[in-house]
């Protein structure tokens, strides 16, 4: 890889490898919510306990991410991605044999630890391979993850539901494949990026903030509030949508998983557009449309019949998904030179909000009803109005 290639050209092979590894990683993680109906029945769990399983996974997947990003900004670890996937591998083995609520918590905590290592490092490597097309690079990386998440319900419907919890062990083959792909990416980074970092380390000046410090803090706070609204609402769908369909429309577990796949696949499809469109017209406009634009469909969802429910979840997933790549790159441009830290902070906060939302929503379902909770959470996308207070980054469209 020549100097010109690394600095000015997008390294598509690495971006695709990162996207594939993100697909494999999130396919494995998506097995967790996809087997909730099985473990709930087998171990007589409450919705609150289901929420705690998600909270445990999301907290372990979120708390370490900013620390990982901060550390690797200073001391890059090219093969940390493969190490993180090894934690996921061990967690899958433990999950397949877990026969108690607390063992389930330990299993998902191991998978979450792998995720906390994977996401900030992979995002930073996508930034390094972007060739300046940062929004495009993040979208390619993200679309793999969301596509992987969409496969979980199908795998649960086709494999885990018919063959039981122990069949999770079969998916360790995916983890081994991901470790090989990530080792290839780590080798590229070590040979092509680290030498340039070392030569520039002492000569380069620290990049300046895009805006005055106070405005940066306000902008980051707004972005985190938007992440809160997006991932609390997403938690109601990813963790409880199958239960909602079974309760309201009396559909089978397998059929409910298919509907969940439709939603998650629309999320994957929508992910790709946020980054490239943000490269062209600016991140702020994409963030505005993707959060607030979900609101009309979300408000209609609790009042729809089964057919219209299956229709509405498509624009909800597609529009809402376009936000994260734009939010992440916007934040990286706000705080230049801290790609790993920013990625870890925003991935970690997103995971944490998803876990907290799942726990609180599960507890509220136990105390009220799942239909009531869906009517309540439908108002969350309206928080997108605060996007109006984000400052314009005029260089964003040139990124």
């Amino acid at each position: 890889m020549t100097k010109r290639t690394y600095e000015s050209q997008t390294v598509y092979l690495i971006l695709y490898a990162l996207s594939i590894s993100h697909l494999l990683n999130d396919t494995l993680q998506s097995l967790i919510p996809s087997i909730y109906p099985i473990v709930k029945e087998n171990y007589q769990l409450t919705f609150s306990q289901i929420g705690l399983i998600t909270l445990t996974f999301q907290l372990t997947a979120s708390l370490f991410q900013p620390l990982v990003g901060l550390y690797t900004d200073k001391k890059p670890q090219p093969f940390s991605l493969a190490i993180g996937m090894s934690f996921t591998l061990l967690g899958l083995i433990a999950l397949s044999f877990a026969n108690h609520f607390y063992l389930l918590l330990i299993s998902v905590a191991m998978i979450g630890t792998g995720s906390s290592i994977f996401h900030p490092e992979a995002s930073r490597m996508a930034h390094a391979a972007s060739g300046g097309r940062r929004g495009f690079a993040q979208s390619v990386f993200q679309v793999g993850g969301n596509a992987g998440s969409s496969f979980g319900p199908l795998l649960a419907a086709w494999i885990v539901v018919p063959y039981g919890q122990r069949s999770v062990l079969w998916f360790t083959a995916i983890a081994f494949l991901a470790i090989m792909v990530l080792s290839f990416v780590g080798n590229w980074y070590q040979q092509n990026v680290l030498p340039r970092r070392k030569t520039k380390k002492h000569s380069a000046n620290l990049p300046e903030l895009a805006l005055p410090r106070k405005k940066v803090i306000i902008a980051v706070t707004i972005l985190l509030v938007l992440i809160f609204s997006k991932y609390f609402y997403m938690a109601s769908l990813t963790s409880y949508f199958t239960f909602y369909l079974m309760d309201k429309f009396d559909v089978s577990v397998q059929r409910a998983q298919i509907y969940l796949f439709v939603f998650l696949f629309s999320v994957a499809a929508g992910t790709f557009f946020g980054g490239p469109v943000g490269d062209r017209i600016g991140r702020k406009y994409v963030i505005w449309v993707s959060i607030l634009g979900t609101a009309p469909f979300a408000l209609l969802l609790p009042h729809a019949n089964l057919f219209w429910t299956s229709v509405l979840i498509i624009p909800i997933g597609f529009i809402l998904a376009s936000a994260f790549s734009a939010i992440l790159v916007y934040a990286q441009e706000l705080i230049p030179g801290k790609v790993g830290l920013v990625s870890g902070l925003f991935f970690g906060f997103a995971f944490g909000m998803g876990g907290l939302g799942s726990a609180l929503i599960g507890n509220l379902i136990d105390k009220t009803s799942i239909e009531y909770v869906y009517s309540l959470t439908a108002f969350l996308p309206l928080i997108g109005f605060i996007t109006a207070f984000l400052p314009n980054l005029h260089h964003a469209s040139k990124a």
Side-chain angles (χ1 to χ4, degrees):
M1 192 69 61
T2 67
K3 175 179 178 179
R4 173 178 169 78
T5 300
Y6 167 67
E7 290 186 331
S8 61
Q9 295 185 10
T10 305
V11 189
Y12 292 99
L13 180 60
I14 295 302
L15 290 182
Y16 295 149
L18 287 168
S19 186
I20 290 170
S21 64
H22 201 183
L23 183 150
L24 298 175
N25 180 79
D26 285 23
T27 295
L28 299 176
Q29 292 178 9
S30 69
L31 291 173
I32 297 173
S34 296
I35 66 171
Y36 284 167
I38 299 171
V39 297
K40 185 178 187 297
E41 180 180 353
N42 288 349
Y43 307 116
Q44 301 299 305
L45 303 181
T46 65
F47 280 111
S48 295
Q49 288 175 309
I50 293 293
L52 284 174
I53 293 174
T54 301
L55 178 62
T56 299
F57 165 68
Q58 300 284 31
L59 283 182
T60 53
S62 63
L63 291 178
F64 300 123
Q65 288 202 36
L67 299 177
V68 171
L70 180 63
Y71 179 78
T72 55
D73 275 337
K74 296 179 179 179
K75 298 181 179 180
Q77 304 294 323
F79 296 100
S80 60
L81 291 173
I83 294 172
M85 186 56 63
S86 299
F87 277 93
T88 299
L89 171 63
L90 295 175
L92 285 173
I93 295 172
L95 183 62
S96 67
F97 289 99
N99 57 5
H100 191 278
F101 173 65
Y102 295 109
L103 293 177
L104 290 171
L105 294 182
I106 294 172
S107 302
V108 300
M110 295 174 69
I111 298 174
T113 300
S115 179
S116 70
I117 298 172
F118 173 83
H119 284 92
E121 268 294 81
S123 180
R124 192 168 62 81
M125 291 190 183
H127 183 276
S130 70
R133 300 176 65 190
R134 299 168 189 168
F136 170 78
Q138 287 299 328
S139 285
V140 170
F141 172 61
Q142 288 295 324
V143 76
N146 285 325
S149 296
S150 71
F151 294 148
L154 289 182
L155 294 174
W158 295 341
I159 299 176
V160 181
V161 171
Y163 297 102
Q165 182 183 344
R166 193 63 58 84
S167 64
V168 171
L169 193 63
W170 301 352
F171 297 99
T172 55
I174 295 178
F176 278 114
L177 175 60
I179 288 172
M180 289 190 290
V181 174
L182 292 171
S183 296
F184 165 75
V185 173
N187 186 62
W188 168 83
Y189 192 88
Q190 185 178 53
Q191 293 184 7
N192 297 282
V193 182
L194 281 185
R196 297 202 55 78
R197 285 178 58 95
K198 290 176 181 178
T199 58
K200 294 168 66 175
K201 183 175 180 181
H202 299 292
S203 60
N205 295 321
L206 290 176
E208 296 181 359
L209 294 176
L211 297 168
R213 185 179 183 85
K214 184 178 179 180
K215 288 188 176 182
V216 169
I217 293 173
I218 292 173
V220 169
T221 302
I222 292 173
L223 293 175
L224 292 176
V225 172
L226 292 173
I227 293 261
F228 154 78
S229 69
K230 169 179 162 62
Y231 280 90
F232 253 66
Y233 184 61
M234 286 284 286
S236 71
L237 292 169
T238 54
S239 292
Y240 301 106
F241 190 54
T242 52
F243 295 110
Y244 174 76
L245 294 173
M246 291 187 296
D247 180 76
K248 186 174 182 177
F249 303 114
D250 196 30
V251 302
S252 66
V253 174
Q254 280 97 336
R255 191 178 177 191
Q257 296 284 4
I258 299 299
Y259 284 113
L260 180 58
F261 163 75
V262 171
F263 167 71
L264 293 175
F265 190 80
S266 67
V267 170
T271 300
F272 180 75
F273 290 91
V277 173
D279 282 340
R280 291 180 176 273
I281 68 172
R283 324 289 177 202
K284 178 178 175 178
Y285 303 109
V286 174
I287 296 169
W288 178 280
V289 172
S290 63
I291 302 291
L292 190 59
T294 308
F297 305 101
L299 290 168
L300 287 172
L301 184 66
H303 310 288
N305 60 23
L306 181 59
F307 171 77
W308 283 108
T309 295
S310 66
V311 172
L312 288 169
I313 58 176
I314 295 173
I316 288 173
F318 187 89
I319 297 172
L320 193 61
S322 61
F324 190 76
S325 294
I327 289 175
L328 182 60
V329 178
Y330 183 100
Q332 290 173 347
E333 291 171 345
L334 276 174
I335 313 173
K338 298 291 183 182
V339 175
L341 174 61
V342 171
S343 299
L345 173 64
F346 277 82
F347 272 110
F349 190 75
F351 275 62
M353 287 299 99
L356 181 61
S358 183
L360 294 177
I361 290 169
N363 185 259
L364 189 58
I365 291 172
D366 282 334
K367 292 181 178 179
T368 57
S369 71
I370 196 164
E371 289 189 42
Y372 170 78
V373 169
Y374 266 63
S375 298
L376 189 64
T377 57
F379 290 92
L380 284 170
L382 291 174
I383 294 175
F385 275 115
I386 68 171
T387 305
F389 298 101
L390 282 176
N392 293 313
L393 299 180
H394 298 293
H395 65 280
S397 63
K398 301 175 183 179

